[in-house]
Amino acid sequence: MSGLKRIATSIRHVSRRDIPALMAGLIIGGPVMATVLIGLFAGGGDIWTHIFQTALMGYVLNTVALMIITGALVLIFAVPSAYLVTYYRFPGQSLFHWALILPLAAPGYVLAISYADFLGVSGPLQSGLRELTGLSAREYWFPDIRSLIGCSFVLACCLYPYAYLTLRVAFTSQSVSTLEAAKSLGLGASARFWRVILPSARPAIVAGTALALMEAVADYGAADYLGVQTLTVGVFRAWASYGDAAAGARLAILLVSLTLFLQWAERCQRGAASFDKSAKGWRKLTPIRLHGKQALGASFFCTGLLTLGFMIPMGHLIGLALEGSGASGSLLKAFWRSVSLAGLASLGAFALSLVIAFALQAGRTSGRFAQLGALMAYAIPGAVLALGALYVQRSFNLSGGPVIALGFLVLIYISRFTAAGLGPVQAALQRAPASLTQAARSLGASRWRRFRAVEWGVIWPGAAASMLILFVEMLKELPATLLLRPFDWDTLAVRAYAYASDERLAAAALPSLAITLAGLLPVILLSRQLSKNTFEEKT
Amino acid sequence: MSEPLSVIDISHEYAGNVTLIGVSLELRPGEITALLGPSGAGKSTLLRLLAGLETPTDGRILYGETILAQKGHSVPTEKRSIGLVFQDFALFPHLTAVQNIAFGLIKETKTERARLALNWLERMGLGRHANAYPHQMSGGEKQRLAIARALAPKPKAILMDEPFSNLDPEQRDHIRRASLDIIRALNIPALIVTHDAEEAMSSADRLAIMRNGKILQSGTPEHLYKHPNSYEAAIALGPIIELEATRNEAGAPWQTQFGPVELDADKTRQAARIGVRPEAFILEASSPYRAHLITKTLKGPLIEAEIEVEIENAARRLKILLPASTRLQTGQEIGLRLSPDLCVLWPDKEASQKTVD
């Protein structure tokens, strides 16, 4: 009742100033709503019946199994590595501290392309083994990367940094006094880890893993390339193979439910997160120096993880690129298209994130509404959002020229990624509290001058980070681009994927590397930002 | 020539909650008015209304004869020319000290802006920090910079929200005095919002006590301390002891546990309650009104003495204040009388929580 009352009061208080944020919310939430409505009301038809009878169970089982295996691997990769780099000193620790998030730079499909070749029958590893042992390909067993487990491994390799990052923050914020109390109660290093450190980091573990799993569920490129029929692949195929957007939208509803469940689980844990921040006096954690075998073991684990997540796939791609014939004209064209498309859409998304952030800062309900829309759209796979756009295009007979197609693509990019840009802008705006703007008003500054001379001056570093993150996320985007792009209009991501699908791996390597290199920029920025937040601001 | 800033019968509501009810207050030029009250009393809302950051639901705000706000209408903050100093100082972090001050000097030329800003920095003792960013300055320096920034554009009035609460106790007194002297010299209306009674009494020329969205009483600090019009107004400025008082005939002095007290108000009643400040007690060896000293604690220039007296066959303990020079032994019997200057008459027990005048 009180909730309803609150909503009613909020609606009554909607004013002219709420219009920009409400518009932003509608632009962002529109594609999500469209897909859900199509899935619910557009009717099933034969294609849906066919998918329901033949493929649905497989999609669901594969998606759930992918989530379980990827989740387990993410934990195996992230928990020990975050624990080691936070609590101990060992050779390479300061390097691993930031380098372990490098895999975030590469999208899943790039890792899949690289690993599929590297571990394939004709890849360097198996060839080397055959040369070394003299065996033929039929005479030994080798794990198949083109499988559910292989796909989970690839996704875990590029997604574990999500859990690593949240865990590192949680471990760093761990109260030193609590650890000292545990020591005084006779707990050794191992007991402290299992009985104090790990339980108090549980919210971070769930949050980080949920984030990684949302990305895993949304992945199209890696799963499709490695031949794993997940729900996202199903959504894509419902359109690409059967041309039925409504059937795809029905599958998408399942997918949306799954991602909403993950978000809900993460939020439940976040509510409980306050219990690990009870200690008042914050003291900087002093890492313990490891010696001998222990130091070696720690270095080995972190090196292994970095090798699996970044060095092998990127090294192999560099090798493949060097074998290739260099950049072709079509690749340069794809590069230009990627940059202009991502540039345009990131400007749009940035503008919307600015509108939402200001509305949130002013405590406007419209800001919260738009933020919710943005978070939902971010959690939903690009293929699902694209499906809604395709349905609208077809229903209103808008599939005319490339301009309309690109317009829809920009809209979907904006819808999907605005939330990624909102975070840094919001964080930056926290440095510009309402009192700053009020002070400027009391000094006679007009609205435009307040924005230009005060707010922008304070938030521009955050705004630049926001635009960079948006740009790179959009540069990497694959499924929505595949579905919505005009005919023969390739971006770098599409080129990389198309070359890889045609087994032209040397040609796929260069665009893949270009995307990863661009992805490195925000990753390094993020790493630096996190180091600053966890140490400088708290001391 | 500066004019008063007046609040006339102002009411304000936010999201269905009434935050101010019929508040009236006049801020006079050259005077510092302190608005005192606990959090939630409505004092910051009143400041925001004066600044134009909120619009009243009823009543008027005037600068001289000019209407700044009335029901549903409000001159925007940026057009009011009223200086604001925030509790968190709200200094622009990306601008240097001199740029912060120059920010509000929009009508001057660039050279004039720089000259005036540097003048203000010198005046506030911040000359060597001209090119420092706020994060490179101490709390006291930031506070002075915030005041200088608000005063530089020659505002019609200045409003300060808990401006000294973020300072260390050692530097607070000095900075407060220096800053308020500069503000007084400008001869404009000035308002300080505070929850600290000591700060309000020591820094303001006039004081308004707020509670639950209303002004309980306003006047000079001394008048309010000695003649509070209600129990609530009395405890807002310091502790008060309540004593029963009787008299045989109308107009005669009131008889209390500590002797007769002559109070003018209410000449007709024969039984009442009297509010007594702890420092109203005077030690007098020959006084027939006796008490036992239970504990004593040194509090700066005074001693807080806990005494026990017998009232209607029951022992009652009171905390009173005596000069620190007094020589007392714990357990000693002492004689006391009351100074009428620090006593106030409440109407009766039931009415003691309400307005008296």
Side-chain angles (χ1 to χ4, degrees), chain A residues 95 97-106 161 165 168 306 310 465 468-469 472 476 516-533:
Chain A
L95 168 81
H97 196 264
W98 62 268
L100 281 172
I101 67 168
L102 286 179
L104 266 187
L165 278 171
R168 216 178 71 181
L306 192 60
F310 196 74
L468 185 62
I469 289 169
V472 173
K476 293 197 286 194
T516 310
L517 266 177
L520 277 175
L521 290 174
V523 165
I524 291 167
L525 197 81
L526 183 71
S527 181
R528 280 184 52 189
Q529 195 72 35
L530 275 168
S531 305
K532 230 160 79 177
N533 284 351

Side-chain angles (χ1 to χ4, degrees), chain A residues 9 13 363 431 433-447 449-450 452-458, chain B residues 15 48 52-53 76-79 81-84 86 88 90-95 100 102-104 106 149-150 153:
Chain A
T9 315
H13 281 90
R431 289 189 63 221
S435 59
L436 274 194
T437 315
Q438 289 166 1
R441 285 187 74 184
S442 74
L443 295 165
S446 63
R447 184 68 198 94
R449 185 163 181 241
R450 292 201 293 275
R452 184 176 52 81
V454 179
E455 289 150 352
W456 184 253
V458 177
Chain B
R48 292 172 67 80
L53 296 167
T77 307
E78 51 273 32
K79 307 262 186 226
S81 185
I82 289 180
L84 270 177
F86 294 82
D88 63 359
L91 294 168
F92 305 130
H94 59 299
L95 301 182
N100 259 284
F103 187 93
I106 30 185
R149 185 183 65 177

Side-chain angles (χ1 to χ4, degrees), chain B residues 89-164:
Chain B
F89 311 134
L91 294 168
F92 305 130
H94 59 299
L95 301 182
T96 60
V98 73
Q99 288 169 333
N100 259 284
I101 297 182
F103 187 93
L105 303 169
I106 30 185
K107 288 173 192 153
E108 287 76 4
T109 62
K110 200 176 171 186
T111 332
E112 186 62 4
R113 272 206 297 271
R115 191 188 66 77
L116 285 171
L118 284 169
N119 266 356
W120 268 104
L121 281 172
E122 288 295 341
R123 199 165 167 183
M124 299 304 268
L126 297 169
R128 62 196 178 89
H129 295 292
N131 293 316
Y133 285 93
H135 72 270
Q136 295 168 315
M137 301 168 82
S138 71
E141 288 160 352
K142 282 187 214 172
Q143 199 272 344
R144 279 178 281 159
L145 179 60
I147 292 182
R149 185 183 65 177
L151 294 176
K154 296 184 184 156
K156 291 174 184 164
I158 182 163
L159 313 171
M160 296 177 276
D161 193 357
E162 307 268 7
F164 307 105

Side-chain angles (χ1 to χ4, degrees), chain A residues 392-470:
Chain A
V392 172
Q393 271 188 48
R394 180 184 267 192
S395 306
F396 294 94
N397 208 13
L398 292 172
S399 37
V403 177
I404 291 174
L406 286 175
F408 271 99
L409 192 52
V410 167
L411 172 72
I412 296 304
Y413 275 15
I414 290 175
S415 169
R416 168 103 165 90
F417 294 113
T418 298
L422 183 60
V425 176
Q426 264 188 292
L429 260 185
Q430 278 172 3
R431 289 189 63 221
S435 59
L436 274 194
T437 315
Q438 289 166 1
R441 285 187 74 184
S442 74
L443 295 165
S446 63
R447 184 68 198 94
W448 171 240
R449 185 163 181 241
R450 292 201 293 275
F451 176 73
R452 184 176 52 81
V454 179
E455 289 150 352
W456 184 253
V458 177
I459 68 169
W460 77 262
S466 162
M467 276 200 268
L468 185 62
I469 289 169
L470 285 168

